[in-house]
Amino acid sequence: MTDTREIFDLRLARSAPDLWPMLAQLYGDHPDYPSLRDTLLADMRAAWKARPADLKTLDLQRDLEPDWFQRPDMLGYVFYIDRFAGNLAGVHDKLDYLESLGVTYVHLMPCLKPRPGDSDGGYSVMDYRRINPAYGTMGDLQTLSKALRKRGMSLCIDMVLNHTAKEHAWAKKARAGDAAHRDMYLFFDDDTLPKAYEQTLIEIFPDNAPGSFTHYPDIGKWVWTTFNEHQWDLNWANPRVFVEIARIMLFLANKGVDVLRLDAVAFMWKRMGTRCQSEPEVHMILRALRAVTRICAASVLHLEEAIVGPAEMLTYFGRGEHDGREGNLAYHNNLMVQFWSALATRDTGLMTHVLRTHFPENLTNATYATYIRCHDDIGWAITDEDAGALGFSGAAHRTYLSDFYEGTFEGSFARGALFQENPATGDKRISGTFASLAGLELAQANADPDQIETAVQRILLGNALIASYGGVPLIYMGDEIALTNDYGYLHVPEHSHDSRWIHRPRMDWDRLKRAQSDPDSPEGQVLRGTRHIYARRKATPQLHGAHACRIRDTGNPALFAFQRIAPANTLLCLFNFSQTWQHVPGHWLRDNGVSDFHDALSGGAVDLENDMFAMPPLGRVWLT
Ligand code: GLC
């Protein structure tokens, strides 16, 4: 193999335009910039030198196969280590199970050393170089990463960029008065500036952590704390923060991490008079960080977490001059929101409008992470403009969705819990598991077999949607066996204030056994159906993430449709969001590329009667 220093230099040359001009724009005027720039380059060379040989080979392999994460065999599974398998060593015993689901990407929820006590589910990190001792050691993570790679699975972990725990060594030094460390955070002598910023900031946790700043009487200072009091925002205007975080990212990459989930990136840059979300500098920082990993750990991807409105989320893939140069993956929270909205209203008009108007058919060097539920709440990211385009009020629709999924709206099938109700804005978000929000919990409480069957079909509809839209579909632990809400969090002091714990249950291995031994039980049907959908996805080349996704208007509000346009032929994906049969004219299907009337999802032929195709309630097909 060519001398590996030469490879580093080639990669540096390739990505230099993404790195130095960004840093110069961000930090060029900072007095420490010239020396920190040298430090960064030296750190990068050192990280490359230290990179294990097997990972260097993986870098080359992925340089040669840059579409590896867009392929239809990609399927993610996301879990809390303790809730799924006890600890990192325990995860090994579950790999056969994950393989049996077809999983090729494993996201361990926050696993770096958190602060003691309430740590916001691990997102309050006090040491980025150590694993949470309750889960194991960095050595255990490396062992797991190797075991995963042997099975063709990649490893994703969280890297929190916006803040550290107030117990982090940097924060402790800052609190003790060290000027250099104070400058890594955002300290204020009085509340004048915090008050001025708060004019335009949006509260993230208004219920239990109101405001975006915290006053510490012991040091007489205010500190910027967007999320919880114990999460101190980093000062990304200081180049030292960039260098320190880049160093940590490379350290984790060299432990065998394939995907870094960059947490809460929207909040990284502050500007007076704005929401301090998704400011242009955020994208320069993310593009530069992407260049750093691309040079020193080319196989590593960045998944950027920004749960924002439609137009804003696309910027995390890099728009305009950053196109194709920022996140490789970003959460498609709008697809999730539209799924739940259409399921409640049984009308796909808004979904068709939003996904067609705001989302391009193709992305460059990137794809979505598609999901129906995650570990966070659902915020109804529906704009007044989009609702208005369909002739209704955004505020009223958002309130309706919260009421519907809380279960208080007359006739609702869902059971959920409110999260962070904000009387000032009328905003209320929703927690709940996929199965409970889809109606299984209520149906089982009513012991109603028809309702149970309907809930199962809703769950499979959601899976068929995220499996085919384009992107890496993510299964949240337990959704494959339809786990319902876990109310136990109310009795855990450090969780009871945070209803998101309702949908972070422990894995129920007994339920899995029942699902396996009784395939006709609701959990059995969901497990069988989920497996089937992802097996069919894997066998359907049109679902490659690089192929265009073109939203089609069926003219029937019950139906949502898109084409996946592959060079050889087009796949037409159709979903019935209503609870009644729907009929689609054969000519419409033919006009939309269907020729051999084969359903790649069921694997069978579809029949037309009088040139009409009949779709059952909550039905879904992928037609060629
Ligand atoms: C992200 C996480 C969420 C956490 C927040 C603050 O949004 O997904 O769980 O509360 O960041 O770290």
Side-chain angles (χ1 to χ4, degrees), residues 120 123 163 205 227 231 261 263-264 305 375-376 500:
D120 187 24
Y123 286 104
H163 44 263
F205 295 146
F227 292 87
Q231 291 163 304
R261 176 193 180 276
D263 181 72
E305 189 244 358
H375 70 288
D376 280 329
R500 291 177 298 175

Side-chain angles (χ1 to χ4, degrees), residues 325-451:
R325 295 166 180 280
E326 208 187 304
N328 310 85
L329 291 163
Y331 290 100
H332 202 326
N333 69 307
N334 290 278
L335 182 67
M336 171 196 68
V337 163
Q338 292 303 329
F339 168 79
W340 291 110
S341 171
L343 206 59
T345 59
R346 301 171 198 189
D347 187 317
T348 65
L350 184 63
M351 184 176 200
T352 298
H353 171 75
V354 166
L355 294 171
R356 193 168 51 179
T357 315
H358 299 291
F359 293 88
E361 292 181 358
N362 290 93
L363 298 169
T364 314
N365 302 335
T367 197
Y368 300 101
T370 58
Y371 65 114
I372 289 295
R373 280 301 295 124
C374 73
H375 70 288
D376 280 329
D377 51 291
I378 306 178
W380 302 112
I382 294 170
T383 65
D384 293 343
E385 292 72 34
D386 285 330
L390 276 277
F392 50 90
S393 139
H397 188 56
R398 293 189 294 269
T399 303
Y400 156 75
L401 290 172
S402 287
D403 294 345
F404 190 93
Y405 285 107
E406 188 195 6
T408 50
F409 191 86
E410 176 78 29
S412 163
F413 51 72
R415 277 207 179 158
L418 289 184
F419 181 71
Q420 305 292 337
E421 190 171 359
N422 188 342
T425 58
D427 188 30
K428 35 185 183 177
R429 285 129 72 185
I430 282 291
S431 295
T433 67
F434 188 173
S436 290
L437 296 180
L440 189 61
E441 188 178 326
L442 182 64
Q444 287 185 318
N446 293 342
D448 182 323
D450 289 344
Q451 281 180 16

